[in-house]
Amino acid sequence: MHDLNRRSILSLGAALGLVGVAAPAKAWAWASADSVAGTGSGADPEYVWDSATDPLMVSLLENGQIPSVNTAMEKWVNNGDPLPSGLPAALTTHLRTFNKLPAWADTAKLTRAADFNRRKDTYLFMLYGLGSGIMSTVIPREARSVYWSFGGADMKDRAAKTFTFGYDLSQLRAFEPSGQFIVTANKTRLVHGAVRHLLPQSPHWKNGADQTIPISVADILVTFHSLGTYVHRKMRDWKIPMSAADEEAFLHSWQVAIYLLGVPTEYIPKTWAAAEAQSAQVLTPILAPTPEGLDLAEVLLGLTAEIDLGVTRGFLNEFVRYALSNEVGDWLKLPRDYAAAALVRTVWPAFILFREGLSPVMPGAFYMFDQFLRAVAMLFLNKGGSGTTTPITIPTGNRPTS
């Protein structure tokens, strides 16, 4: 965030609901004692990738085996599905090791998290979509990696895949045999391994990159905080009722989720306070606009606007500003609509109070807000209009223009 001084960083952190915001850290300073593991090497996750997956993906790519792997995995969808036949032996061995819950996973907490997701699904989908989804466009590394990877050539499809990850995690039985998240996470982990090998071959990506290999463990932690930590904090800021057990269960679902993506337990926060402290170091200081991010934001907002929100694009822009801050809205060059801004900032708190049964007074714009929320939720439930399952395929190259 080169163009922001410390005061701007603090105000942005407050607007995003992130605490303890400081200037960019020069070295990794988060205590591994605050992790799920309770201890660790102290190694900077900026220089940790996925030693279990990356060499395997390099081998499969260089041996031309990815197309047949993608074909074999097409019908591998539910957690309870058997591993696909016809996979290379090394990949089958890998999946037998990692395509399961960790020993420390608490099934009771995961069940409670699923029920919490059901009860708060419209808020969650809205925050994941209009909050986290748009925030991803001002995370420079994420924006550039998405844009210059193969999936960046078709952003509507790429958005659908993003919705799939959030939706599968929010499913009622996400981690059960009939759910899909464990498979989704494992496929995503394989894609990350491939992208780590492919993107450094793109001159366009290398031209703006500040790292030699993309998608480090630190980058995955950034994504976690732009999703789980951000959403949790905004729900607290908006006074959406959550019990302590609900909050703990929601965190646990994310702990398991990022573990399945290959994050070592020494980097996975064990409490929300630890998550917020880690987020303040790795996420807020790096937020900034990029040309790639501006393009991606317009595509994502355009995809959202395609469904019948029952509101104007000005209202949509102002809701993004409300969820993320005016600083982010200015970076993304979202035109102002001050009438819509006033409506959002005055009616939204009243809408939540009434919807949650905390106030008997129905706000005048209740119906409009309710339809807006339901429409955003349906965008997730329909996964960008792509049917019941969005195929996750391993790329064999970068964005065609690269």
Side-chain angles (χ1 to χ4, degrees), residues 312-327:
T312 65
R313 176 60 188 268
F315 180 93
L316 181 60
N317 289 345
E318 290 298 337
F319 206 96
V320 169
R321 285 177 174 271
Y322 181 68
L324 289 179
S325 79
N326 281 324
E327 287 94 332

Side-chain angles (χ1 to χ4, degrees), residues 229-306:
T229 305
Y230 162 77
V231 167
H232 171 256
R233 174 53 55 187
K234 293 304 289 187
M235 291 182 75
R236 292 192 68 180
D237 288 347
W238 289 349
K239 297 180 173 56
I240 295 171
M242 297 183 290
S243 68
D246 284 343
E247 293 182 70
E248 185 177 355
F250 183 58
L251 173 62
H252 190 63
S253 68
W254 273 105
Q255 290 168 334
V256 174
I258 59 177
Y259 172 85
L260 291 172
L261 289 179
V263 176
T265 52
E266 70 177 278
Y267 300 111
I268 300 176
K270 67 179 178 182
T271 64
W272 280 121
E276 290 169 342
Q278 189 184 83
S279 178
Q281 180 178 353
V282 302
L283 172 61
T284 310
I286 57 94
L287 296 175
T290 62
E292 295 91 345
L294 287 170
D295 191 1
L296 300 183
E298 185 56 35
V299 172
L300 289 169
L301 286 170
L303 176 63
T304 306
E306 285 182 13

Side-chain angles (χ1 to χ4, degrees), residues 69-384:
V69 167
N70 283 331
T71 299
M73 292 200 306
E74 281 180 358
K75 295 183 179 179
W76 182 46
V77 176
N78 293 332
N79 300 332
D81 291 345
L83 293 179
S85 60
L87 294 177
L91 178 54
T92 298
T93 299
H94 174 89
L95 292 174
R96 283 176 178 161
T97 302
F98 296 107
N99 187 51
K100 58 187 177 183
L101 293 175
W104 48 267
D106 186 324
T107 54
K109 288 182 180 179
L110 294 177
T111 299
R112 188 180 187 101
D115 183 63
F116 173 73
N117 290 334
R118 176 190 60 80
R119 287 182 278 118
K120 307 299 181 183
D121 59 357
T122 48
Y123 301 120
L124 290 170
F125 290 147
M126 187 276 294
L127 281 168
Y128 283 143
L130 296 183
S132 303
I134 304 304
M135 191 196 301
S136 71
T137 69
V138 293
I139 298 173
R141 287 181 176 177
E142 185 167 345
R144 291 188 181 111
S145 293
V146 167
Y147 189 88
W148 292 114
S149 64
F150 184 80
D154 185 346
M155 277 309 299
K156 185 171 182 178
D157 179 71
R158 179 65 176 76
K161 289 180 172 63
T162 300
F163 294 155
T164 295
F165 193 86
Y167 172 67
D168 286 350
L169 178 59
S170 299
Q171 275 186 311
L172 189 58
R173 297 176 175 82
F175 295 97
E176 297 179 17
S178 60
Q180 299 178 0
F181 186 78
I182 298 175
V183 170
T184 294
N186 271 273
K187 288 183 177 181
T188 302
R189 185 172 180 176
L190 297 179
V191 169
H192 287 171
V195 170
R196 290 188 190 101
H197 180 61
L198 293 169
L199 265 186
Q201 301 172 35
S202 164
H204 297 283
W205 178 81
K206 289 173 65 176
N207 184 51
D210 62 351
Q211 56 187 168
T212 57
I213 302 172
I215 318 179
S216 67
V217 166
D219 295 328
I220 297 176
L221 291 173
V222 166
T223 299
F224 156 57
H225 293 303
S226 74
L227 288 158
T229 305
Y230 162 77
V231 167
H232 171 256
R233 174 53 55 187
K234 293 304 289 187
M235 291 182 75
R236 292 192 68 180
D237 288 347
W238 289 349
K239 297 180 173 56
I240 295 171
M242 297 183 290
S243 68
D246 284 343
E247 293 182 70
E248 185 177 355
F250 183 58
L251 173 62
H252 190 63
S253 68
W254 273 105
Q255 290 168 334
V256 174
I258 59 177
Y259 172 85
L260 291 172
L261 289 179
V263 176
T265 52
E266 70 177 278
Y267 300 111
I268 300 176
K270 67 179 178 182
T271 64
W272 280 121
E276 290 169 342
Q278 189 184 83
S279 178
Q281 180 178 353
V282 302
L283 172 61
T284 310
I286 57 94
L287 296 175
T290 62
E292 295 91 345
L294 287 170
D295 191 1
L296 300 183
E298 185 56 35
V299 172
L300 289 169
L301 286 170
L303 176 63
T304 306
E306 285 182 13
I307 59 176
D308 183 14
L309 295 175
V311 299
T312 65
R313 176 60 188 268
F315 180 93
L316 181 60
N317 289 345
E318 290 298 337
F319 206 96
V320 169
R321 285 177 174 271
Y322 181 68
L324 289 179
S325 79
N326 281 324
E327 287 94 332
V328 171
D330 290 344
W331 288 347
L332 296 177
K333 302 179 181 179
L334 301 180
R336 296 307 310 260
D337 184 329
Y338 291 102
L343 181 67
V344 170
R345 294 174 188 277
T346 57
V347 176
W348 179 247
F351 168 82
I352 291 176
L353 286 173
F354 181 80
R355 199 171 189 274
E356 293 295 317
L358 301 175
S359 169
V361 180
M362 178 188 290
F366 175 86
Y367 180 75
M368 184 191 74
F369 275 84
D370 196 54
Q371 289 299 104
F372 173 61
L373 216 62
R374 291 176 186 277
V376 173
M378 286 307 299
L379 179 61
F380 275 86
L381 295 174
N382 292 333
K383 300 184 182 181

